[in-house]
Short mmCIF file of all heavy atoms in Angstrom, two decimals:
data_model
loop_
_atom_site.label_atom_id
_atom_site.label_comp_id
_atom_site.label_asym_id
_atom_site.label_seq_id
_atom_site.Cartn_x
_atom_site.Cartn_y
_atom_site.Cartn_z
N ASP Z 144 12.71 30.31 -18.05
CA ASP Z 144 11.63 29.33 -18.22
C ASP Z 144 10.55 29.56 -17.17
O ASP Z 144 9.36 29.53 -17.46
CB ASP Z 144 12.17 27.90 -18.06
CG ASP Z 144 13.29 27.59 -19.04
OD1 ASP Z 144 13.13 27.90 -20.23
OD2 ASP Z 144 14.31 27.03 -18.60
N VAL Z 145 11.01 29.77 -15.94
CA VAL Z 145 10.07 29.97 -14.84
C VAL Z 145 9.21 31.21 -15.11
O VAL Z 145 8.02 31.25 -14.80
CB VAL Z 145 10.82 30.09 -13.49
CG1 VAL Z 145 9.85 30.41 -12.36
CG2 VAL Z 145 11.58 28.80 -13.19
N ALA Z 146 9.84 32.19 -15.75
CA ALA Z 146 9.14 33.45 -16.03
C ALA Z 146 7.94 33.23 -16.94
O ALA Z 146 6.97 34.01 -16.92
CB ALA Z 146 10.10 34.46 -16.64
N LEU Z 147 7.97 32.16 -17.75
CA LEU Z 147 6.85 31.89 -18.65
C LEU Z 147 5.62 31.34 -17.92
O LEU Z 147 4.52 31.33 -18.46
CB LEU Z 147 7.27 30.86 -19.71
CG LEU Z 147 8.27 31.33 -20.77
CD1 LEU Z 147 8.84 30.13 -21.49
CD2 LEU Z 147 7.58 32.28 -21.75
N ALA Z 148 5.86 30.86 -16.74
CA ALA Z 148 4.77 30.20 -16.01
C ALA Z 148 4.02 31.18 -15.12
O ALA Z 148 4.60 32.14 -14.61
CB ALA Z 148 5.35 29.08 -15.16
N ARG Z 149 2.75 30.91 -14.95
CA ARG Z 149 2.00 31.74 -14.04
C ARG Z 149 2.10 31.19 -12.62
O ARG Z 149 1.91 31.90 -11.64
CB ARG Z 149 0.53 31.82 -14.46
CG ARG Z 149 -0.20 32.98 -13.80
CD ARG Z 149 -1.51 33.35 -14.48
NE ARG Z 149 -2.47 32.27 -14.44
CZ ARG Z 149 -2.91 31.61 -15.50
NH1 ARG Z 149 -2.49 31.92 -16.70
NH2 ARG Z 149 -3.78 30.64 -15.36
N THR Z 150 2.41 29.90 -12.52
CA THR Z 150 2.39 29.24 -11.24
C THR Z 150 3.62 28.35 -11.07
O THR Z 150 4.08 27.73 -12.03
CB THR Z 150 1.12 28.34 -11.14
OG1 THR Z 150 0.00 29.11 -11.56
CG2 THR Z 150 0.90 27.83 -9.74
N ILE Z 151 4.11 28.31 -9.86
CA ILE Z 151 5.21 27.40 -9.53
C ILE Z 151 4.62 26.13 -8.93
O ILE Z 151 3.75 26.19 -8.07
CB ILE Z 151 6.15 28.03 -8.46
CG1 ILE Z 151 6.64 29.42 -8.89
CG2 ILE Z 151 7.31 27.09 -8.13
CD1 ILE Z 151 7.66 29.40 -9.95
N LEU Z 152 5.10 24.99 -9.40
CA LEU Z 152 4.67 23.72 -8.83
C LEU Z 152 5.84 23.12 -8.06
O LEU Z 152 6.92 22.90 -8.63
CB LEU Z 152 4.24 22.79 -9.98
CG LEU Z 152 3.37 21.59 -9.66
CD1 LEU Z 152 2.88 20.94 -10.94
CD2 LEU Z 152 4.07 20.56 -8.80
N THR Z 153 5.65 22.90 -6.78
CA THR Z 153 6.72 22.36 -5.96
C THR Z 153 6.22 21.13 -5.21
O THR Z 153 5.16 21.16 -4.59
CB THR Z 153 7.21 23.40 -4.94
OG1 THR Z 153 7.78 24.50 -5.66
CG2 THR Z 153 8.28 22.83 -4.03
N VAL Z 154 7.00 20.05 -5.29
CA VAL Z 154 6.66 18.85 -4.53
C VAL Z 154 7.17 19.04 -3.10
O VAL Z 154 8.36 19.29 -2.91
CB VAL Z 154 7.31 17.60 -5.14
CG1 VAL Z 154 6.95 16.35 -4.34
CG2 VAL Z 154 6.88 17.43 -6.60
N PRO Z 155 6.28 18.98 -2.12
CA PRO Z 155 6.75 19.14 -0.74
C PRO Z 155 7.62 17.94 -0.37
O PRO Z 155 7.19 16.80 -0.50
CB PRO Z 155 5.45 19.13 0.09
CG PRO Z 155 4.33 19.13 -0.89
CD PRO Z 155 4.85 18.65 -2.19
N ILE Z 156 8.82 18.21 0.05
CA ILE Z 156 9.81 17.15 0.16
C ILE Z 156 10.56 17.28 1.47
O ILE Z 156 10.55 18.32 2.11
CB ILE Z 156 10.74 17.26 -1.08
CG1 ILE Z 156 11.23 15.90 -1.52
CG2 ILE Z 156 11.85 18.25 -0.84
CD1 ILE Z 156 11.82 15.94 -2.90
N ASN Z 157 11.18 16.19 1.90
CA ASN Z 157 12.00 16.18 3.11
C ASN Z 157 13.03 17.31 3.04
O ASN Z 157 13.92 17.29 2.20
CB ASN Z 157 12.71 14.82 3.19
CG ASN Z 157 13.54 14.64 4.45
OD1 ASN Z 157 13.72 15.58 5.23
ND2 ASN Z 157 14.04 13.44 4.64
N PRO Z 158 12.96 18.29 3.94
CA PRO Z 158 13.90 19.42 3.85
C PRO Z 158 15.35 18.98 4.02
O PRO Z 158 16.26 19.66 3.57
CB PRO Z 158 13.45 20.35 4.99
CG PRO Z 158 12.58 19.53 5.87
CD PRO Z 158 11.99 18.45 5.03
N GLU Z 159 15.54 17.82 4.65
CA GLU Z 159 16.91 17.37 4.88
C GLU Z 159 17.41 16.43 3.79
O GLU Z 159 18.57 16.01 3.80
CB GLU Z 159 17.01 16.67 6.23
CG GLU Z 159 17.02 17.66 7.38
CD GLU Z 159 16.45 17.05 8.64
OE1 GLU Z 159 16.58 15.83 8.84
OE2 GLU Z 159 15.82 17.80 9.41
#
Side-chain angles (χ1 to χ4, degrees):
Chain Z
D144 303 313
V145 176
L147 290 165
R149 197 163 63 246
T150 312
I151 306 286
L152 198 170
T153 296
V154 180
I156 213 165
N157 183 353
E159 283 152 31

